[in-house]
Amino acid sequence: QVQLVESGGGLVQAGGSLRLSCAASGRTFSSHAMGWFRQAPGKEREFVAAITWTGGNTYYADSVRGRFTISRDNAKNTVYLQMNSLKAEDTAVYYCAARLGYAEYNPRTYDYWGQGTQVTVSS
């Protein structure tokens, strides 16, 4: 069992930066791949970034590649999403998620979810 709690969201101007954190409880955190997803009003939840359990491989949506960076610290049971050069279209609720095995793009393959944190980018 893994419980996830996101933090770090807020209001930022376009071009600014935010760092999201996702704190996990449970002794098996280091064996889970982690993902960040987001959902804007009226839209489906979409993949943002993912990282393997070792942290050795990362994956990004085309819309955020080069601007966002996912990382993890297994000693702290935490995964991060550094978001730079934010745009108005990045506005959404951001969720972290965990799954055993490989990092995946499909949110339906993730077993555990946080409650989400709101990111609002003003233009």
Side-chain angles (χ1 to χ4, degrees):
Q1 189 80 6
V2 177
Q3 294 181 326
L4 305 172
V5 178
E6 302 97 334
S7 61
L11 174 64
V12 63
Q13 289 188 334
S17 298
L18 282 174
R19 188 175 83 155
L20 305 183
S21 298
C22 175
S25 63
R27 290 177 290 179
T28 61
F29 170 77
S30 61
S31 62
H32 286 71
M34 300 296 296
W36 284 99
F37 296 82
R38 65 188 182 187
Q39 189 165 18
K43 295 188 177 181
E44 292 188 352
R45 191 167 298 189
E46 66 174 2
F47 170 78
V48 175
I51 188 167
T52 55
W53 68 274
T54 64
N57 288 291
T58 56
Y59 308 89
Y60 297 94
D62 289 343
S63 59
V64 307
R65 187 176 290 112
R67 300 188 297 123
F68 290 11
T69 302
I70 188 171
S71 62
R72 67 189 295 163
D73 185 338
N74 286 343
K76 296 182 178 180
N77 279 11
T78 302
V79 63
Y80 305 97
L81 185 68
Q82 178 67 44
M83 306 186 295
N84 298 329
S85 302
L86 282 161
K87 305 175 181 180
E89 51 263 44
D90 295 318
T91 295
V93 177
Y94 284 70
Y95 299 89
C96 70
R99 69 182 305 276
L100 283 171
Y102 298 106
E104 288 279 354
Y105 298 91
N106 186 345
R108 294 184 177 87
T109 67
Y110 284 75
D111 304 302
Y112 305 103
W113 290 85
Q115 82 289 348
T117 186
Q118 176 71 47
V119 172
T120 303
V121 183
S122 63
S123 57

